[in-house]
């Protein structure tokens, strides 16, 4: 923008800054509402007017992780005193934690779904970034016949609507027994992220001067040694950024997970909405599950902030 | 002199002698990826192309009968399917227009020196990084007619956002605009910051008004990047499934992906759904082609 001189321009500039702050608050409000609902007692989650100031408590999390049933009669004082803090929170909400015959607490499905999300997202990220880095190097450094067409083909696989791919994949997986398995989802997410990782990594590797490897080759390195000892360390930041993007995509994915899994390998995105069901859902528990699920992505977004532009544009726009 | 030139071997052939040849490495690095993508993307599509000419139902053991082009003929003549496409088109237009308006607008506001600009930009980008399905779910609570925060803040009483068939599509689009305006903003900011400052200075010296400056300098120079954002968002909005599926059960929000999902996995009309998938696929590939051409054009700059 041109240098600001007149009082009118100064005023306009101040108005713009104020507007930016207001817009930022509006954009963050839904996320704030999720986070605050996750720490509310159940009776304050759906009040009119909305409850903004309250004493935060951990009962939504205690309920999130445990299997509960309605409390028929109030716990005896001894029972209450003997219970750990999180169990008391469940008692306070008029419910009790289900225990097995031997007194072991029964977990809800949430920890399992969260773990499934972790297994699937991490494994598919490692595979996609690993393969993608090799392939990107191949495209970046060597002459490949029909390079543009191959790169278009690679990118186009990511553009397919998930439901379109899911119909035949569902049939094929059913035939080979990959439905509702971790590996089934891992392979799908690897394929989905592979195209992205090739495009993004190619941009990062293109920026590493060829002279580095050529100097190493003159020094007697083989091409493989030059790749592992010179190129990979230089590309480390790019690899990390690509990995975080792949992780977030796999972590957030919904359609494939909904279609390909239902229990054993189900990830958190199809599981959390399934908890709303009918009737009056306990929004504090859903918010607690959502909060924990969003937390890693929120942290990663801050770590990635300087690479977001590049990642979101498949490496086409750099800064 | 002559001997030293003789011993300075071409590095490539020297490497070739000890390790693998460059050609072998290239093939080792590229071919597995291409094969993997063929197995997981092209092969399934060929598989479903075959089924699209049959009356196969995955819920029964009955063998598939070849019915020729019947599925395609019936789908293209089905007014309900056309309605799904109309809903999708409406959704794409409303949500992409909203994202461009909000995203570009915020980028214009942000394109100046602001305290904590980096932090503010990152915070604004947060919604698009989150899971559409999970965060979308929470908008159900925000939109609730009785205790939703939105109605309370806007003083709308018990206005039905998701319950009213005429409003539901806009409600889903608003959530989509909230999530994806940051994407348009991010790309627009990159475009805006790349506009050379001296152009604005020259315009100021010529006493050009702000409107003239915007339409003759800012917009033309940002347009290529903005177009990338628009094509990409159009493609994504056309494919949309998560948000609309989670937020609404209204027939007025049944975009084509939802129809496809229901046909395939609830009604188990597998053959027919494969045919519909192909119709959708051809549309998406057309737009993808335009998108990639644009990406490459911007890359060359």
């Amino acid at each position: 923008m041109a240098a600001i001189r007149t009082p009118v321009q100064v005023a306009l500039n101040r108005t713009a800054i104020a507007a930016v702050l207001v817009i930022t608050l509006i954009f963050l409000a839904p996320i704030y509402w999720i986070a605050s609902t996750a720490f509310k007692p159940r009776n304050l989650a759906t009040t009119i007017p909305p409850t903004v100031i309250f004493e935060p408590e951990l009962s939504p999390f205690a309920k999130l992780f445990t299997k509960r049933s309605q409390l028929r009669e109030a716990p005896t004082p001894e029972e209450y005193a003997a219970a750990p803090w999180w169990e008391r929170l469940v008692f306070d909400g008029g419910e009790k934690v289900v225990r097995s015959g031997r007194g072991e607490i029964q977990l809800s499905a949430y920890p399992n779904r969260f773990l499934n999300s972790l297994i699937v997202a991490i494994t598919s990220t490692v595979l996609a970034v690993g393969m993608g880095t090799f392939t990107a190097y191949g495209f970046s450094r060597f002459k490949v016949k029909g390079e543009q067409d191959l790169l278009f083909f690679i990118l186009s696989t990511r553009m397919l609507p998930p439901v379109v791919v899911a119909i035949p994949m569902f049939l094929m997986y059913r035939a080979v027994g990959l439905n509702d398995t971790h590996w089934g989802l891992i392979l799908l997410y690897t394929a989905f992220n592979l195209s992205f990782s090739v495009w993004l990594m190619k941009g990062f590797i293109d920026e590493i001067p060829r002279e580095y490897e050529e100097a190493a080759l003159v020094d007697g390195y083989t091409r493989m040694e030059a790749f592992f000892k010179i190129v990979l360390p230089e590309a480390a930041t790019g690899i990390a950024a690509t990995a975080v993007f792949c992780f977030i995509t796999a972590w957030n994915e919904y359609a494939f997970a909904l279609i390909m899994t239902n229990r054993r390998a189900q990830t958190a995105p199809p599981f959390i909405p399934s908890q709303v069901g009918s009737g009056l859902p306990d929004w504090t528990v859903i918010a607690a599950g959502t909060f924990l699920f969003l937390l890693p992505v929120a942290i990663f977004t801050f770590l990635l902030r300087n690479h977001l532009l590049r990642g979101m544009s498949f490496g086409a726009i750099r800064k | 002199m002559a001997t030293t030139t003789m011993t300075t071997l071409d590095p490539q052939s020297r490497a070739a002698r000890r390790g693998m040849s460059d050609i072998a490495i290239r093939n080792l690095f590229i071919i597995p990826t291409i094969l993997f993508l063929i197995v997981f993307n092209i092969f399934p599509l060929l598989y479903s192309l075959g089924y699209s000419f049959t009356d196969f139902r995955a819920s029964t053991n009955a063998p598939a009968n070849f019915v020729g082009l019947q599925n395609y003929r019936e789908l293209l003549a089905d007014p309900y399917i056309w309605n799904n496409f109309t809903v999708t088109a409406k959704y794409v237009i409303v949500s992409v227009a909203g994202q461009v308006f909000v995203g570009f607008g915020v980028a214009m506001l942000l394109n100046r020196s602001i305290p904590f600009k980096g932090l503010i930009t990152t915070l604004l980008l947060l919604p698009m990084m989150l899971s559409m399905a999970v965060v979308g779910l929470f908008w159900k609570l925000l939109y609730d007619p009785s205790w939703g925060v939105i109605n309370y803040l806007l003083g709308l009483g018990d206005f039905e956002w998701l319950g009213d068939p005429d409003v539901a599509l806009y409600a889903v689009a608003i959530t989509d605009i909230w999530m994806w305006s940051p994407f348009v903003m991010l790309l627009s900011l990159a475009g805006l910051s790349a506009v050379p400052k001296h152009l604005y200075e020259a315009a100021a010296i010529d006493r050009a008004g702000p409107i003239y400056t915007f339409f003759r300098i800012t917009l033309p120079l940002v347009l290529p990047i903005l177009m990338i954002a628009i094509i990409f968002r159009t493609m994504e909005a056309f494919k949309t499934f998560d948000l609309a599926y989670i937020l609404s059960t209204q027939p007025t929000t049944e975009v084509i992906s939802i129809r496809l999902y229901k046909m395939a996995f609830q009604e188990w009309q597998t053959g027919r759904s494969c045919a519909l998938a192909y119709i959708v696929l051809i549309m998406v590939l057309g737009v993808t082609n335009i998108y990639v051409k644009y990406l490459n054009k911007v890359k060359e700059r």
Side-chain angles (χ1 to χ4, degrees):
Chain A
M1 283 284 154
I4 292 153
R5 295 179 204 93
T6 66
V8 177
Q9 281 172 319
V10 172
L12 274 176
N13 202 44
R14 288 210 181 125
T15 318
I17 293 174
V20 164
L21 292 178
V22 171
I23 291 168
T24 309
L25 289 180
I26 294 174
F27 265 81
L28 291 179
I31 299 170
Y32 167 76
W33 203 246
I34 294 174
S36 78
T37 306
F39 294 93
K40 274 181 190 170
R42 184 174 182 177
N43 58 347
L44 295 184
T46 49
T47 55
I48 282 294
T51 309
V52 180
I53 297 160
F54 59 96
E55 206 176 309
E57 56 175 68
L58 287 171
S59 64
F61 292 93
K63 291 190 211 163
L64 175 67
F65 283 101
T66 52
K67 211 178 209 168
R68 292 155 289 132
S69 66
Q70 281 297 319
L71 200 56
R72 285 212 196 82
E73 47 202 67
T76 59
E78 297 84 60
E79 230 181 326
Y80 192 85
W85 61 271
W86 43 265
E87 198 168 3
R88 279 185 226 159
L89 289 173
V90 175
F91 278 138
D92 294 344
E95 290 176 313
K96 65 173 184 182
V97 176
V98 176
R99 287 178 181 272
S100 70
R102 273 178 290 159
E104 292 153 336
I105 57 152
Q106 306 269 303
L107 289 178
S108 69
Y110 185 82
N112 171 264
R113 304 303 191 260
F114 196 89
L115 187 68
N116 285 341
S117 273
L118 276 178
I119 293 171
V120 170
I122 292 174
T123 317
S124 67
T125 298
V126 170
L127 289 173
V129 178
M131 287 174 80
T133 307
F134 285 117
T135 308
Y137 181 80
F139 276 113
S140 174
R141 293 299 197 256
F142 303 119
K143 270 211 167 61
V144 180
K145 222 191 260 173
E147 181 173 327
Q148 288 307 318
D149 294 329
L150 278 175
L151 284 171
F152 171 71
F153 160 71
I154 288 175
L155 185 67
S156 67
T157 60
R158 192 187 166 99
M159 301 302 170
L160 302 174
V163 185
V164 168
V165 184
I167 300 170
M169 279 321 285
F170 176 84
L171 300 173
M172 289 164 72
Y173 271 15
R174 197 170 67 166
V176 295
L178 275 172
N179 266 344
D180 202 15
T181 63
H182 289 138
W183 275 109
L185 266 195
I186 289 168
L187 291 172
L188 266 178
Y189 290 175
T190 304
F192 187 73
N193 270 333
L194 188 49
S195 55
F196 173 75
S197 113
V198 170
W199 268 65
L200 200 55
M201 280 312 301
K202 184 173 178 298
F204 282 114
I205 291 176
D206 281 343
E207 278 169 18
I208 303 170
R210 282 162 179 265
E211 287 76 28
Y212 290 7
E213 294 143 80
E214 272 154 21
L217 294 176
V218 173
D219 285 349
Y221 279 51
T222 63
R223 177 65 83 164
M224 275 294 198
E225 286 165 349
F227 173 73
F228 281 105
K229 291 183 185 154
I230 311 289
V231 178
L232 280 192
E234 284 289 323
T237 325
I239 293 173
T242 310
V244 174
F245 269 108
C246 290
F247 176 86
I248 291 177
T249 312
W251 183 254
N252 288 344
E253 206 285 330
Y254 175 73
F256 281 129
L258 175 75
I259 294 166
M260 300 298 180
T261 66
N262 48 47
R263 205 168 44 84
R264 271 185 309 158
Q266 192 183 45
T267 53
F271 173 74
I272 294 175
S274 76
Q275 293 308 94
V276 172
S278 53
L280 284 177
D282 187 343
W283 281 102
T284 62
V285 177
I286 295 159
T290 304
F291 178 76
L292 288 183
F293 177 76
L294 298 183
L295 206 56
V297 176
I299 294 168
F300 277 144
T301 303
F302 275 88
L303 295 177
L304 261 188
R305 60 189 181 277
N306 296 326
H307 297 284
L308 283 174
L309 176 63
R310 213 175 158 132
M312 298 312 284
S313 66
F314 294 94
I317 307 162
R318 290 160 200 174
K319 210 162 92 179
Chain B
M1 272 309 271
T3 26
T4 40
T5 3
M6 289 285 283
T7 48
T8 315
L9 282 164
D10 169 30
Q12 305 227 328
S13 60
R14 193 160 141 191
R17 238 194 288 148
R18 255 191 341 113
M20 294 165 73
S21 75
D22 278 4
I23 307 271
I25 289 176
R26 181 195 73 189
N27 292 343
L28 180 70
F29 280 11
I30 293 178
I31 292 173
T33 292
I34 303 287
L35 286 179
F36 190 85
L37 289 174
I38 288 174
V39 169
F40 277 87
N41 286 293
I42 302 304
F43 188 63
L45 292 180
L46 293 176
Y47 198 78
S48 62
L49 182 64
Y51 276 121
S52 75
F53 300 113
T54 68
D55 63 357
F56 181 61
R57 299 177 78 96
S59 56
T60 65
N61 287 323
N65 298 311
F66 182 79
V67 295
L69 287 171
Q70 193 192 327
N71 285 330
Y72 289 92
R73 258 204 318 270
E74 283 176 6
L75 283 169
L76 291 173
D78 186 344
Y80 289 104
I81 298 292
W82 283 108
N83 184 47
N84 293 130
F85 277 115
T86 316
V87 169
T88 312
K90 210 164 132 190
Y91 177 77
V92 169
I93 292 168
V94 173
S95 95
V96 175
Q99 287 161 24
V100 170
F101 179 75
V102 176
F104 190 72
V106 177
M108 287 290 289
L109 291 174
L110 264 178
N111 189 35
R112 65 195 72 231
S113 67
I114 289 179
F116 304 109
K117 189 174 169 182
L119 176 69
I120 290 174
T121 314
T122 311
L123 286 173
L124 279 170
L125 293 173
L126 204 50
M128 74 171 174
M129 307 302 287
L130 304 175
S131 163
M132 280 182 115
V134 176
V135 175
L137 174 73
F138 231 84
W139 276 74
K140 257 188 164 162
L141 177 65
L142 301 179
Y143 277 138
D144 194 282
S146 330
W147 48 68
V149 180
I150 294 178
N151 277 359
Y152 177 77
L153 289 178
L154 300 180
L156 288 173
D158 54 2
F159 184 74
E160 290 275 359
W161 285 94
L162 297 166
D164 184 337
D166 295 329
V167 183
L169 188 73
Y170 296 97
V172 178
I174 288 172
T175 308
D176 199 46
I177 292 168
W178 171 73
M179 287 204 90
W180 290 103
S181 294
F183 175 79
V184 180
M185 181 199 86
L186 183 68
L187 265 63
S188 306
L189 263 181
L192 286 172
S193 63
V195 178
K197 287 224 163 38
H198 64 82
L199 290 180
Y200 289 120
E201 282 155 17
I205 290 166
D206 291 345
R207 299 199 172 274
I211 293 169
Y212 183 88
T213 313
F214 176 78
F215 282 104
R216 301 305 292 267
I217 298 176
T218 312
L219 199 57
L221 285 168
V222 178
L223 205 58
I225 286 186
L226 192 61
M227 276 310 287
I228 287 190
I230 293 173
I231 303 171
F232 189 76
R233 284 314 310 159
T234 302
M235 221 154 61
E236 293 291 309
F238 181 77
K239 290 166 14 184
T240 199
F241 173 74
D242 309 19
L243 261 188
Y245 183 70
I246 286 197
L247 277 178
S248 163
T249 48
Q250 300 283 354
T252 48
T253 59
E254 195 179 87
V255 291
I256 196 68
S257 285
I258 296 182
R259 180 87 290 268
L260 193 53
Y261 172 77
K262 286 184 177 167
M263 198 185 275
F265 298 105
Q266 289 176 359
E267 297 155 14
W268 293 105
Q269 307 189 54
T270 315
R272 231 166 102 91
S273 67
C274 287
L276 181 56
Y278 255 85
I279 296 170
V280 173
L281 181 73
I282 289 162
M283 293 174 156
V284 171
L285 276 185
V287 188
T288 305
N289 208 342
I290 302 171
Y291 176 69
V292 172
K293 280 202 179 118
Y294 233 96
L295 269 190
N296 285 331
K297 216 164 109 187
V298 169
K299 239 178 165 174
E300 277 161 22
R301 287 201 313 161

